[in-house]
Amino acid sequence: MARRRGNRMSAEANKVEIQLTPMIDAVFLLLIFFMTTTVFKQATQLKIDLPDAVNYDRLKQEKKLNVRISSDGELEMNGQIVRMDDLGSTLMREKSISGSATLIITADAGTPHGFVIDAMEIATRVGVEKLDVETQDPGSG
């Protein structure tokens, strides 16, 4: 019997143990990776079938009207300097040439807001349908 116990102890000494800690760490890292990169679909109550964008190519190619306003109140319309008094006629002319109904206003941060409001009012009077005010991303400095 003593011999049997000796064999049992030597068998236990040769037994290989598998370390599960590294495998569990790897599984948790994979789980965290998949949890952070997964995009979840927003649950909605309504089923909406969106129409095709028939005029997308035309809108993409449409020339936009651009007005730039300096801090001194000087105006530039599509690359040419204009006065505030002439902005309405210039906008009408450029609008008829380009066929665009969108005006992008780019104003200096130091521009008094009155100049921007005046440009918006003139654009609305001549039939500009959409006004966009261009801003800068705070991080792009």
Side-chain angles (χ1 to χ4, degrees):
M1 258 209 216
R3 200 169 197 186
R4 245 180 167 181
R5 282 188 189 161
N7 286 340
R8 189 180 283 171
M9 290 185 91
S10 65
E12 288 178 11
N14 291 334
K15 189 175 180 181
V16 177
E17 290 186 30
I18 298 175
Q19 295 292 326
L20 294 178
T21 305
M23 186 175 69
I24 292 171
D25 289 345
V27 169
F28 279 130
L29 286 174
L30 286 173
L31 179 67
I32 290 170
F33 172 77
F34 286 120
M35 285 173 48
T36 56
T37 58
T38 301
V39 177
F40 294 102
K41 184 176 178 183
Q42 296 290 333
T44 59
Q45 298 293 326
L46 299 176
K47 174 73 174 156
I48 298 175
D49 186 22
L50 296 175
D52 293 333
V54 178
N55 296 323
Y56 176 73
D57 291 331
R58 182 183 63 81
L59 291 173
K60 190 170 73 173
Q61 294 173 354
E62 178 180 275
K63 181 182 174 191
K64 304 285 192 266
L65 302 171
N66 294 303
V67 170
R68 298 175 59 88
I69 306 174
S70 71
S71 60
D72 300 334
E74 295 176 343
L75 298 171
E76 177 185 293
M77 173 73 188
N78 287 351
Q80 61 183 354
I81 302 292
V82 295
R83 294 188 341 223
M84 187 66 80
D85 299 336
D86 299 332
L87 182 61
S89 60
T90 306
L91 264 173
M92 283 182 64
R93 184 180 70 241
E94 292 291 326
K95 183 178 165 220
S96 65
I97 291 171
S98 68
S100 177
T102 302
L103 176 66
I104 300 171
I105 299 175
T106 307
D108 189 88
T111 303
H113 68 278
F115 291 120
V116 178
I117 298 298
D118 290 342
M120 289 178 164
E121 287 178 354
I122 291 171
T124 304
R125 267 189 260 136
V126 298
V128 173
E129 297 171 6
K130 184 177 178 187
L131 296 171
D132 291 336
V133 178
E134 185 175 2
T135 60
Q136 180 177 327
D137 183 21
S140 65

